[in-house]
Amino acid sequence: MATHSKSDELEPLLSPTSPTSPTSPTPPTLRKKETQKVWYKTASAYWLLPSFMLIAIINGLGITVKIQFYLRAVCYDYYSNKSQFISTSFLLNPINDYPDEWCNNADVQAMTSRFLLILDLCSAVPAIFVLAPLGLLSDIKGRKICLLIAVAGSILTTLNILLVGNYIDTFGIYFLLVGALFDGITGGLLSLISASYAYATDCTSPTQRSVIFGWMQGAFFAGFIGPTIGGWIIELTDNLLSVFYVMIAVYIMTFFYFLFILPESLTKEKLSENLKRQQESNSTFDRNQLFKSWIIYSIIKPLTILFEKNNRNNNNNDDFFTKYSLLILASINTLLTTAIMGIQAIFLLYVTLVFKWSLVDQGYYFIILGVSRVIVLFILFPLLISNIKKNIFLNNIKNNVQINIDNNNDDEPIPIEDNEEKHLRKYEVWILRFALFIDVLAYAGYGLATSSSMFVVASVIASLGSVSGSVIKSLQTNLVAPSQIGQLLGALCVLDSIGRIISPVVFNALYSILVVTSPHLIWYGVTFLIAAAFLLSFGIVPKYN
C-alpha cells in the first residue's frame, strides 16, 4: 500500500539523537546518511544548551555590575570636570572612602541615565541594519558564522569596558560608546539568540520545537543567578573589573567552542538549496522601484516575509493557519519584547525606591525569578506537551481507520504524524493564549503589590506565562520554509531592535512623570501592552475541519 511522503522539514535535518516525536519515522535514506556520521559531528540542539546557559549566566554577571560601573565612570567624570579630586581607585574598588552621596544624587543620576540612553542607542541603531542581513547570512552560509560574529562582538565590547576601567584618564567615558557600537554592528545578544533558535530549528522536528525552545528559554532564565555570582566575585576581589575579566575569558572559550567543536546544522546541500531560493526571492523583488535607499531596503525587505502567504511545504498548516497568522504572531512577539525591554530600564529603580531593596535583595529576587521559570520551562511545560502528544497519538491510533475511510478514496492512509502536528498546533495556540492571560494578571499584580512578598508572588505567577516565547517561536518556525528560518528570525530581531529604541525612551519618560506621586502606575502601561498581545492571539483562528 502506498504511503504519503513527508516534507524533509518535518524530520530533524541532521541529528538522529535530537528530540523527535515518537511517531515520526525517519526515512531510510536519511537514516543511512546519519549513521555515517559520528556523534561529535552530528548537529543537535543539545550541543547549544550548555553554551547557551553559560552565556546567559555570564550576561547575568554584568546586569548589576555594568550599571554600577557606568555610574562610577560618570561620577568620576563629573567630579573631574568640576576640578574636584577623586581617585581612579573609586572605579575599581566597591569599598572605598567616598560616601554614597558622591554619586547617589540627582545630578549624577540624571547624567548616568542620559549616558545609558546614549549607550543603548549606539547599540540598538546599528543592530537594526545588520540583524536581518545576519539572519539571511545564516541561511546561506550556516548558523555557526552568526554565532561566531555575535560572540566576537561580546568580546570586543567587554574589552572596551576593561580598557576604560583601567585607563579612564586616557580614553574617557565616551570611549565606552565604541564598545556599544561593536555590540550593535555584530548583532549582540539578539543575534546570538536568533542564530541559536535557527540552529535548534534545523535539528528538531516541528512537533518537538516548542519543548526545545522552552529548554533554551529556561537556560536563558538560568542566567538570573549571574548577579549573585557577580556579587561573590566582587566580594572576593574587591574589584568591579574582576567580573569583566571572567566574562571575557568565558566569551573567548565560547568562541573557540563554536569554531572548533560545534557541528554545523546545515549541510552543504541545504546551504546550496537555501542560496538558490534566496536568489529566486530577490529576483522577484523590485528593490529599485519600491526602495531607492539601500538603508530602507535593508530594513524593510526582510520584513516582507511577515506578509507572505504561508509557503511551507506542508498542507497541514495551510489547513490550519490563516494567511495573517505569521504577521499576528510577529506583532504579539513585538508587544511582549517591547513591554519587557521598557520595564527593564526602570525595574531596579522601582524596587529600590518602593521596597528599599539592596543589591543582595535584588540578587535573591533574581534567583527566585530564575528558579521558578526554569521549573516551568524545563519540567512543567515539557510534561504538558508530552501528555498532549500522547493523547493526540492515542486518539489518532483509535480513529486512524475511520480517518482513512473518510478522507482517502484510494485507501491510502493518512500518516499519523500529519495529524499529530496539526492537532499540536491547535493546542499550542491555546497554550499561548493562556500564557498571555497569566502575564496580564501578573503584571497587573506588580502594580497592585504593596509589599515585597506580594511582588515576589506576582513574579512566581508570571513564570507560568514564560512559555509564551517558546510557543511563539515554535508556531513561527512552522509557518515558513526551512530556507527562510534565518530570514524570519532576523526580521523579528529587527522589530525587537526598533522596540529597544522606542520602548525605554517612552517608559523612562512616563516613569519620570509618575515617580513622584504614583510610580506603580508604570506597571499598568506594561499590562496594557500584554493585554493587547492577548487580544491579538485570538486573530490566529484555526480552520477546524
Side-chain angles (χ1 to χ4, degrees):
M1 184 178 292
T3 58
H4 281 283
S5 61
K6 290 280 289 176
S7 169
D8 64 331
E9 184 234 355
L10 293 181
E11 304 296 335
L13 298 182
L14 291 172
S15 174
T17 59
S18 61
T20 58
S21 167
T23 65
S24 298
T26 305
T29 55
L30 184 58
R31 287 199 299 266
K32 183 177 180 180
K33 290 181 180 180
E34 289 177 340
T35 54
Q36 294 175 354
K37 284 192 174 184
V38 292
W39 64 270
Y40 57 84
K41 291 184 179 180
T42 303
S44 170
Y46 296 116
W47 281 106
L48 270 183
L49 282 175
S51 58
F52 200 73
M53 182 177 293
L54 182 61
I55 288 175
I57 293 174
I58 289 302
N59 277 279
L61 290 178
I63 288 178
T64 55
V65 177
K66 281 185 179 179
I67 298 298
Q68 182 72 3
F69 175 78
Y70 293 141
L71 174 64
R72 286 169 170 266
V74 172
C75 187
Y76 177 84
D77 183 73
Y78 175 76
Y79 289 107
S80 297
N81 291 334
K82 294 182 67 174
S83 299
Q84 289 184 251
F85 174 77
I86 181 172
S87 172
T88 54
S89 65
F90 172 80
L91 281 173
L92 312 179
N93 189 351
I95 303 174
N96 53 72
D97 296 331
Y98 297 97
D100 288 341
E101 288 76 12
W102 276 66
C103 296
N104 194 18
N105 59 70
D107 291 336
V108 176
Q109 291 280 332
M111 289 181 61
T112 304
S113 178
R114 290 192 294 269
F115 184 72
L116 290 175
L117 180 59
I118 296 173
L119 277 174
D120 191 63
L121 291 175
C122 286
S123 176
V125 172
I128 293 177
F129 304 107
V130 302
L131 284 171
L134 284 174
L136 289 171
L137 181 67
S138 75
D139 283 335
I140 60 178
K141 294 295 184 181
R143 312 303 184 193
K144 284 181 62 172
I145 187 171
C146 289
L147 291 170
L148 290 169
I149 291 173
V151 176
S154 298
I155 293 173
L156 294 174
T157 303
T158 308
L159 179 62
N160 174 263
I161 292 175
L162 289 172
L163 285 174
V164 174
N166 285 298
Y167 308 103
I168 189 169
D169 289 328
T170 301
F171 292 101
I173 64 170
Y174 290 100
F175 191 71
L176 291 169
L177 301 182
V178 176
L181 288 172
F182 280 137
D183 184 69
I185 292 171
T186 57
L189 187 60
L190 283 177
S191 179
L192 181 66
I193 294 174
S194 174
S196 299
Y197 276 116
Y199 186 100
T201 300
D202 297 334
C203 308
T204 311
S205 64
T207 55
Q208 191 70 9
R209 284 177 190 169
S210 60
V211 174
I212 292 296
F213 291 165
W215 286 351
M216 293 180 67
Q217 194 173 359
F220 187 76
F221 279 119
F224 282 124
I225 67 174
T228 302
I229 297 176
W232 292 340
I233 294 174
I234 293 174
E235 186 177 349
L236 289 173
T237 61
D238 289 335
N239 191 323
L240 282 176
L241 296 187
S242 58
V243 171
F244 298 108
Y245 285 113
V246 173
M247 291 174 64
I248 198 170
V250 173
Y251 283 138
I252 291 173
M253 289 188 294
T254 304
F255 182 88
F256 286 112
Y257 171 78
F258 287 158
L259 182 62
F260 295 115
I261 299 178
L262 183 72
E264 174 56 58
S265 62
L266 295 176
T267 63
K268 292 181 179 179
E269 293 78 9
K270 197 67 182 178
L271 291 173
S272 177
E273 178 185 334
N274 291 350
L275 176 59
K276 181 178 179 181
R277 178 159 185 159
Q278 293 297 342
Q279 289 173 338
E280 292 174 352
S281 175
N282 289 335
S283 66
T284 61
F285 186 81
D286 190 355
R287 69 182 70 177
N288 293 325
Q289 180 179 356
L290 295 179
F291 309 112
K292 295 182 179 180
S293 169
W294 176 86
I295 294 179
I296 296 178
Y297 172 79
S298 67
I299 300 175
I300 298 180
K301 166 44 171 82
L303 298 181
T304 58
I305 191 175
L306 304 177
F307 301 89
E308 295 177 2
K309 186 177 180 180
N310 176 22
N311 57 0
R312 183 171 176 258
N313 297 323
N314 180 6
N315 291 331
N316 279 343
N317 285 322
D318 286 333
D319 292 338
F320 175 66
F321 290 105
T322 69
K323 65 180 180 179
Y324 299 111
S325 293
L326 189 59
L327 179 61
I328 293 173
L329 285 167
S331 301
I332 293 172
N333 184 74
T334 301
L335 286 171
L336 281 176
T337 54
T338 299
I340 293 172
M341 289 178 181
I343 205 63
Q344 277 181 344
I346 61 175
F347 169 78
L348 295 179
L349 296 176
Y350 180 85
V351 296
T352 302
L353 174 69
V354 176
F355 302 122
K356 311 301 180 185
W357 284 3
S358 64
L359 288 176
V360 175
D361 295 329
Q362 294 171 21
Y364 290 146
Y365 171 78
F366 282 128
I367 290 177
I368 295 173
L369 193 70
V371 169
S372 62
R373 280 156 173 74
V374 166
I375 291 174
V376 169
L377 292 167
F378 271 95
I379 301 176
L380 300 183
F381 183 54
L383 287 175
L384 174 64
I385 295 295
S386 177
N387 186 60
I388 290 173
K389 290 170 65 176
K390 180 180 178 181
N391 291 334
I392 293 173
F393 176 65
L394 293 176
N395 288 334
N396 285 338
I397 290 293
K398 181 179 178 181
N399 301 323
N400 191 39
V401 174
Q402 186 63 42
I403 292 174
N404 291 331
I405 293 174
D406 294 341
N407 294 278
N408 289 270
N409 295 327
D410 59 353
D411 293 329
E412 187 175 354
I414 295 176
I416 293 176
E417 63 270 15
D418 284 358
N419 287 288
E420 179 186 10
E421 183 186 349
K422 180 178 178 180
H423 286 89
L424 184 59
R425 297 288 82 81
K426 297 176 182 178
Y427 281 106
E428 285 184 339
V429 170
W430 281 105
I431 291 173
L432 173 61
R433 291 166 182 166
F434 173 77
L436 292 173
F437 180 71
I438 290 295
D439 277 338
V440 171
L441 296 180
Y443 279 89
Y446 287 140
L448 294 172
T450 57
S451 65
S452 296
S453 57
M454 291 177 63
F455 194 87
V456 172
V457 169
S459 300
V460 174
I461 294 174
S463 65
L464 296 174
S466 60
V467 302
S468 58
S470 57
V471 174
I472 290 173
K473 288 291 189 298
S474 175
L475 292 171
Q476 288 172 326
T477 54
N478 281 290
L479 273 172
V480 298
S483 62
Q484 294 179 300
I485 294 296
Q487 180 185 353
L488 169 66
L489 296 176
L492 296 175
C493 285
V494 170
L495 295 177
D496 289 345
S497 292
I498 295 174
R500 182 181 168 189
I501 294 174
I502 298 174
S503 181
V505 174
V506 173
F507 276 87
N508 271 294
L510 286 175
Y511 186 70
S512 64
I513 296 172
L514 299 171
V515 68
V516 177
T517 56
S518 305
H520 64 281
L521 293 180
I522 195 66
W523 293 103
Y524 300 136
V526 179
T527 305
F528 174 80
L529 292 178
I530 299 178
F534 171 68
L535 294 176
L536 274 177
S537 68
F538 287 91
I540 313 171
V541 183
K543 299 178 181 178
Y544 295 97
N545 295 327

